[in-house]
Amino acid sequence: MTKLPSKGKPISRLEGRLKVTGAAKYAGEYDADDLLYGYVVNSTITKGKIKIMNTSDAMKLKGVVEVFTHENRPSTAWFDFQYADMDAPPGTVFKPLKDNIIRYNGQPIALVVAETFEMARYAATKIKLAYQEEAFETDLEANLYKARTPKKGLASMLKPPPPKPKGNFEAAFENAAVKSIGVFKHGTEHHNPMEMFASTVIYEGKNKLKIYDKTQGTINSQLYVSNVFGLKMKNVQVIAPFVGGAFGSGLRPQYQLFMAVMASLKLKRNVRVTLDRSQMYTFGHRPPTLQTTKFGADENGKVNAIYHKAIGETSQFEDYVEIVVNWANMLYPAENTLLEHELVSLDVYTPLDMRAPGGSTGMHAIEITMDDLAYKLNIDPLEFRLINYSEIDKSSEKEYSSKELRECFLQGARQFGWHNRNPISRSVKRGNKLVGYGMATGIWDANRLLARAQAIMTNDGKVEIKSAVTDIGTGTLTIMSQIASDELGIPIEDITFSYADSKMPFAPIQGGSFTTATVGPAVKASCKALIEKVFDKAKYLNNSVLSEAKFEDVIFSNGFLILKNNPEARINIKEIFEANDGKEIKTTNTSMPNPLKFGKKARAVHSAVFVEVEVDEELGVIEVTRAVTAVAAGKIINPKTAESQILGGMIWGISKTLHEETILDHQFGKYMNASLAEYHIPVHADIHDLSVVFVDEKDDFISDLGVKGVGEIGVVGMPPAIANAIFNATGKRINDLPIHFDKLL
């Protein structure tokens, strides 16, 4: 069928008005009759046991309904298999209120349920606690001798371990004409979305629940609740149409969901549990990571030896891993490589994916090392990367499904004005500020998973698409509507995309930049099947003018099926529905990559980042004054929302490099700056001229939509590009993040 054009249109977000006017409802805002409020009590020690928990004073307060602890927690099914949710790493899933053992500082140890939130919060202060404290370890650097290889599990499918060594790294590095050795570290970072975590549980009787949850996967939360509480999946409905930021924090069900469901089932009442800002620091984080690199190159600039080792933090009960060291050989075709990743188990909660997990960590070390090599070789950093350009992923010896990184380099450099770079540090000034240019390469996985979608056409020719996928602010609602509009050939105004409800067709958690490439093909497939179904019904109408036509001979436009070569031969869609007794026409379809084909090529999205910084020569204050990111990500469905994603990633890159860090006092095992007042992130005054270039790239291998994700790629190249620009400005190579002014004084 001929389709009306809609791909590539910079359409504003369809839900934008609801959000900016406050009409959009979030998980903690849904009204419910007879609603109870829960407030979570958190441990103030880091390791040990609860010896006394006296709740009698709290229970005496008017309006307090119950205080749940490990002593009176209702029994649960406690899904004992290793994976209680789609994103669980190897190990034992944390079970709130399971026993009196304290495993980390801030662990939830009680839930106060009252008629008002204020009373629940006040009653929490009346609980008397006594602990038996034990020695703990929270310092990664002090425990490196405990580093070990991560356990393997189902998560290895999306987070593969480092590839096996190739060639002879030691000999190649020893004989390299030019060498660069670097040690890198970054501290802990915490997710700080605007919307705090909340769950509103509506008790519908007979252990049937409707849950409004802050989550990146409605079916994942449904799976968790069903497994933990022994409920039938069909009796658990999870809804999350609006999510006020997540960035990975909502991939796993957080403990407020457990608490709210537990209380609702026991009390047979509607219950809401909302975490406050400080409690957002009691689960999940980007783990502090130490890295060592050793790269060697010949006198012509060809990298022939790559060593990259990372040591990351994990909890005592799960093995959280990231892809940190795999990237260098995916980009640079050295024949001799040694890549290692180890973990140290500490008395902290399990880390959690945070935008570009592993990628933003590893590329920081890789691209600063590449910049250092280029400097030592006296080769322009851009030229150096072109010398080491490869059309294949050397780590797997597979050809890329598509790779327009070379064009990213060229177009990004041209827009930025890279040719104006002065390679000599401290040679360019604006007043009292040193000016520096830096660049870096970015890479991220281009994955695709299984998803389903339903398409329903009503007798007015309008179509509803259904999918359980969430929209965490990335524009999913808008671009899925665009995909349907394009496939059906009807205006986007006649499309309704219903989503974020676990009762709808399956979609995986929204993360990893794979949502459009995963759910988009399912939407496309269901729309194609729908219009074929409509066409089949049209063919068999009495005296149909399309009786001899084939599907490809027809277009659908303005409520008519029209024969291409004879526009007068047309059928009003109303005739089809009249013959169908007015019943809606619907179809549900599954889309997934071909497992026999998908692994035959490497798949990635690429970027080139160019940054200008100004550094106050006396004060050391750093400003990112300009940045350009050129991205090759297949077909861009909506340039407006895609650009927004890249710009958001660039801002996060500035935050990661210059601002963001959670400080853990190892004397107490406690995060000391658990608030937005003290956890530093950029404000408007920190952000200046940022621009995005989308390079044309054709990729029909990953899916017939030709799309790749853009959620993470905007972050990965920014930290090293900024650090490299600071070196160009000051002559000082700083490998630790965040880079604060004191390191430049």
Side-chain angles (χ1 to χ4, degrees), residues 124-393:
T125 67
K126 298 299 181 181
I127 297 174
K128 294 183 174 67
L129 285 159
Y131 299 99
Q132 177 184 313
E133 296 193 54
E134 298 176 13
F136 56 84
E137 294 290 347
T138 59
D139 190 339
L140 176 63
E141 292 187 66
N143 288 275
L144 294 178
Y145 66 95
K146 298 179 182 177
R148 56 175 174 80
T149 303
K151 300 169 187 173
K152 293 184 179 180
L154 292 178
S156 298
M157 291 188 297
L158 286 177
K159 295 182 178 180
K164 294 178 180 178
K166 291 192 315 181
N168 187 335
F169 165 77
E170 288 82 1
F173 185 73
E174 181 66 27
N175 296 321
V178 181
K179 304 173 185 178
S180 177
I181 300 175
V183 177
F184 306 81
K185 66 178 179 181
H186 75 73
T188 305
E189 299 168 25
H190 273 85
H191 309 79
N192 269 292
M194 289 180 68
E195 180 198 11
M196 264 81 80
F197 274 80
S199 298
T200 301
V201 180
I202 309 301
Y203 185 78
E204 297 183 324
K206 297 182 180 179
N207 290 339
K208 188 175 181 182
L209 305 175
K210 178 184 288 185
I211 305 169
Y212 298 97
D213 189 36
K214 181 192 171 93
T215 177
Q216 289 175 247
T218 57
I219 289 178
N220 197 32
S221 289
Q222 178 194 37
L223 178 73
Y224 174 85
V225 169
S226 301
N227 287 329
V228 168
F229 293 97
L231 305 177
K232 294 178 181 179
M233 289 275 285
K234 68 178 182 179
N235 287 340
V236 179
Q237 181 181 16
V238 180
I239 302 170
F242 299 105
V243 180
F247 317 112
S249 63
L251 290 173
R252 301 188 68 180
Q254 302 303 351
Y255 62 76
Q256 94 290 335
L257 175 62
F258 171 88
M259 298 288 200
V261 171
M262 172 193 68
S264 180
L265 289 172
K266 176 65 176 178
L267 301 173
K268 296 183 173 13
R269 295 274 299 273
N270 303 329
V271 177
R272 173 179 298 152
V273 177
T274 303
L275 302 185
D276 63 27
R277 179 58 64 180
S278 66
Q279 289 170 327
M280 297 289 287
Y281 292 78
T282 60
F283 58 86
H285 54 276
R286 195 193 301 275
T289 305
L290 300 176
Q291 299 178 75
T292 303
T293 59
K294 298 178 183 178
F295 287 14
D298 63 25
E299 58 278 0
N300 297 316
K302 198 74 174 175
V303 176
N304 51 28
I306 292 176
Y307 171 78
H308 191 181
K309 180 176 182 177
I311 303 177
E313 170 189 276
T314 192
S315 68
Q316 298 285 8
F317 45 89
E318 289 177 313
D319 268 16
Y320 172 82
V321 295
E322 297 181 332
I323 302 176
V324 178
V325 303
N326 302 26
W327 308 101
N329 205 213
M330 293 171 66
L331 284 168
Y332 307 119
E335 299 290 345
N336 305 281
T337 62
L338 177 58
L339 309 173
E340 300 175 311
H341 191 177
E342 294 180 338
L343 294 179
V344 174
S345 295
L346 297 171
D347 297 308
V348 297
Y349 189 75
T350 307
L352 182 63
D353 287 353
M354 189 174 188
R355 199 171 190 172
S360 63
T361 302
M363 290 305 294
H364 167 237
I366 293 164
E367 289 301 287
I368 290 179
T369 306
M370 289 292 287
D371 195 75
D372 189 50
L373 273 179
Y375 174 76
K376 290 176 176 176
L377 285 159
N378 197 27
I379 299 175
D380 180 279
L382 175 55
E383 178 61 28
F384 183 54
R385 285 164 176 78
L386 291 172
I387 290 171
N388 290 282
Y389 195 87
S390 176
E391 293 294 347
I392 69 167
D393 168 5

